[in-house]
Amino acid sequence: MKKPISKDLIILIVIIPILIFVSYFVGIRREGSLPDHSVINKSNKGTSVFYEALEKLGYNTERSTKPLGEEDYDEIIVLTENYNYYLVEEDKILLWVESGGDLFYIREGGNSFLDTKVPAIDNEYYSIYMIGEGRILVAEPHYISNAALTEDIAPAYEVLMGLEELGNRDIVFNEYYMFGGSEEKTLWQSVPIALKVILLQLIIALGAWYYHKGKSFGRAVPYYEEEERQETEYI
């Protein structure tokens, strides 16, 4: 006779897929909550496609979460203006450019510390400013966003030509200021969203398995040790 399926097992079979779906949904929501224009943001507002395309085209690209330093003068630094965390260190950044740094500044229209400067190159897609010994390439983020690249790659190609004007060097996407100057991420924060979802699924499945195995033995039965009487005991 087949053993009937327990009610607990049926509940687990129903609940586990729901929990997995919820964990996946939470992961997607967290990914979408990343800063706009970040290279690790794979939503429509991110720039992950542009970043990965540069790698496939043979450019040496890197993402950094450290503040600008002197060691960066040999690289093209990409900074993205983020309205959640205003660039409070604009003076420091401008001084870095004047000392010989080349900057790709991704920003939307509006007031900027470049308003009083006259660009050396100015076209529909980008502008290049000569600041002291360095240069600043300025372009708007919607030209290189993931959403834009699914519709038309021509603007992104024009921005790439602007990058070529700065020379063929390593390109570092500095997101220190985008995240409000936060410190380096912990190990868990560095784990990709997809891997976090998988780990959460494994934890849920393992917990459900232990729960089911524990229930399969039934309710605990008390054990009473029988006291052995001696043969020579006086009765």
Side-chain angles (χ1 to χ4, degrees), residues 16-30 193-194 196-202 204:
I16 286 178
I18 295 174
L19 292 175
I20 291 174
F21 174 78
V22 169
S23 67
Y24 175 77
F25 179 74
V26 170
I28 295 298
R29 287 292 300 273
R30 286 196 61 186
I193 294 294
K196 287 181 179 179
V197 172
I198 293 173
L199 290 173
L200 184 57
Q201 291 175 357
L202 290 175
I204 293 172

Side-chain angles (χ1 to χ4, degrees), residues 62-79 89 92-93 95-104 133-135 166 169-177:
E62 180 187 345
R63 177 177 175 268
S64 173
T65 55
K66 299 178 181 179
L68 289 176
E70 294 181 1
E71 68 278 9
D72 297 321
Y73 284 112
D74 294 330
E75 303 162 330
I76 298 173
I77 304 300
V78 184
L79 286 181
E89 298 190 45
K92 177 183 176 181
I93 295 169
L95 179 62
W96 178 83
V97 175
E98 290 175 345
S99 301
D102 283 340
L103 178 68
F104 177 17
E133 298 180 15
R135 296 165 293 181
L166 301 183
R169 288 175 290 160
D170 293 351
I171 302 173
V172 178
F173 287 76
N174 190 307
E175 298 193 346
Y176 172 83
Y177 302 94

